[in-house]
Amino acid sequence: MAKVIAIMNEKGGVGKTATATTLAYLLSQRGHRTALIDFDGQGHSSIIFGVKNTNKLEITINTIIRKLIEDEPLPDPGSYILKTNCGVDVIPSNSQLFTLERNLCNVDFRERVLSQYVDTIKDRYEYIIIDCMPQMGTPMINVMMCADSIIVPTQAELLSTQGLAELLKHYHVISKNSNHRLRIDGILITMDSPNTILSAQVNQMIQQGFAGKVPIFETRIPRSIKVAEAVLYHQTICEFLPENPAAIAYSQFVEELLSCEEADGKELIGVG
Ligand SMILES: Nc1ncnc2c1ncn2[C@@H]1O[C@H](COP(=O)(O)OP(=O)(O)O)[C@@H](O)[C@H]1O
Ligand SMILES: [Mg+2]
């Protein structure tokens, strides 16, 4: 059964999509069966994985959720899952997803609709990565209800860390009362400019505010214009320029994530 990892931060522009797509790409390159659910109406993950015009897509994650709400049969996954050349299966999204919050109000068990869908594809994959939208609300509660873990990309700027406390509040309530599996894998600092005063200050602030409460990945992703340039070629930075410092850092981050998973697994079965 897949591990479901949500890439979440209620602030926009902090590197959620860059992290979600690159993580999915690298897991797939390592031979893991990996799917990515684009759960943002902007459809940026879908675009990075090759969709030219998201509004021409016939079936998106929004269509699927509407069918679940209306208790209609789901389409065959073969009719909407995009099979990319790099091996990642993408469940795409477009601007219709902006109506989700409204569509979910008055629905019974509205926090569990995404879980219902994820349960139908979970046995096909080892990892399901969810690229989240930049607002808290019922759609994000849905993500927290079905995820096994959360990664929180945080841009190395002071304002980017402000949404973290709110996210943690929701995390504590949901992990305590509803989804006991849910963990925070860690805060990932993105768009870092090493050796600057700003970077040092943000790092100190994150350490002071969150160390001991939430894991913080040792790896930080440096800022590189090539990350944005890769999008023009519908690629992640690791495919576009594997030797770029941001690509190397993303590979190190995946190593760190997988080694933490391994350590957790050993702890659970009482070894090592
Ligand atoms: N490490 C990085 N260095 C430079 N630009 C980056 C980096 N990571 C992401 N970007 C760019 O910053 C913008 C916001 O990143 P994105 O991943 O889309 O954030 P979010 O999904 O949180 O809104 C995009 O244009 C993206 O290409
Ligand atoms: Mg995004």
Side-chain angles (χ1 to χ4, degrees):
M1 291 290 256
K3 177 178 181 188
V4 181
I5 306 178
I7 314 299
M8 189 180 279
N9 185 326
E10 68 175 345
K11 194 165 182 318
V14 294
K16 289 184 292 298
T17 297
T19 301
T21 51
T22 310
L23 172 61
Y25 171 82
L26 289 171
L27 289 170
S28 172
Q29 292 297 299
R30 284 170 157 260
H32 297 295
R33 282 172 291 119
T34 305
L36 179 143
I37 300 179
D38 188 347
F39 207 53
D40 183 0
Q42 298 180 92
H44 287 167
S45 279
S46 308
I47 293 169
I48 290 176
F49 280 119
V51 178
K52 298 263 167 10
N53 184 347
T54 54
N55 286 324
K56 286 199 173 150
L57 290 164
E58 276 181 25
I59 305 174
T60 64
I61 185 68
N62 190 57
T63 327
I64 293 162
I65 288 183
R66 288 207 69 143
K67 289 204 181 289
L68 285 166
I69 293 173
E70 284 155 23
D71 209 14
E72 289 177 10
L74 294 186
D76 172 40
S79 67
Y80 65 85
I81 292 185
L82 308 173
K83 301 263 173 202
T84 65
N85 293 339
C86 67
V88 178
D89 279 7
V90 180
I91 294 98
S93 165
N94 64 17
S95 58
Q96 289 168 0
L97 196 71
F98 291 131
T99 62
L100 182 61
E101 177 90 55
R102 203 171 61 229
N103 294 339
L104 284 171
C105 69
N106 299 327
V107 172
D108 289 337
F109 303 111
R110 60 181 157 276
E111 296 87 6
R112 294 184 187 269
V113 186
L114 186 63
S115 299
Q116 280 181 55
Y117 170 59
V118 168
D119 284 348
T120 68
I121 58 164
K122 233 175 163 178
D123 57 353
R124 295 166 168 246
Y125 300 105
E126 290 165 77
Y127 290 96
I128 298 176
I129 310 299
I130 307 181
D131 181 21
C132 294
M133 56 186 77
Q135 307 93 26
M136 279 311 296
T138 319
M140 279 312 92
I141 306 290
N142 266 267
V143 174
M144 286 195 182
M145 292 297 283
C146 76
D148 295 293
S149 71
I150 301 173
I151 293 170
V152 192
T154 303
Q155 195 180 335
E157 284 181 6
L158 296 179
L159 292 176
S160 292
T161 59
Q162 289 184 344
L164 290 182
E166 187 67 18
L167 189 154
L168 291 181
K169 215 167 69 188
H170 287 282
Y171 161 73
H172 286 305
V173 173
I174 291 173
S175 61
K176 190 166 159 224
N177 299 309
S178 307
N179 177 2
H180 303 297
R181 298 187 320 276
L182 188 62
R183 298 279 175 273
I184 295 194
D185 280 329
I187 295 174
L188 175 68
I189 298 180
T190 62
M191 297 183 227
D192 189 34
S193 306
N195 308 321
T196 61
I197 292 172
L198 177 65
S199 169
Q201 282 176 335
V202 172
N203 188 45
Q204 194 185 16
M205 212 184 81
I206 290 178
Q207 296 291 341
Q208 280 170 355
F210 301 101
K213 296 184 199 152
V214 185
I216 302 163
F217 286 102
E218 264 177 44
T219 313
R220 297 196 216 172
I221 312 299
R223 182 179 284 282
S224 164
I225 189 68
K226 296 289 177 192
V227 177
E229 203 180 313
V231 177
L232 299 176
Y233 298 89
H234 299 280
Q235 285 180 346
T236 66
I237 185 66
C238 290
E239 191 176 8
F240 182 58
L241 275 180
E243 300 306 321
N244 176 273
I248 292 170
Y250 267 120
S251 297
Q252 281 167 355
F253 151 69
V254 172
E255 293 286 334
E256 196 182 338
L257 175 71
L258 295 180
S259 65
C260 292
E261 254 178 34
E262 208 172 291
D264 284 351
K266 280 188 183 157
E267 212 171 278
L268 278 178
I269 56 172
V271 190

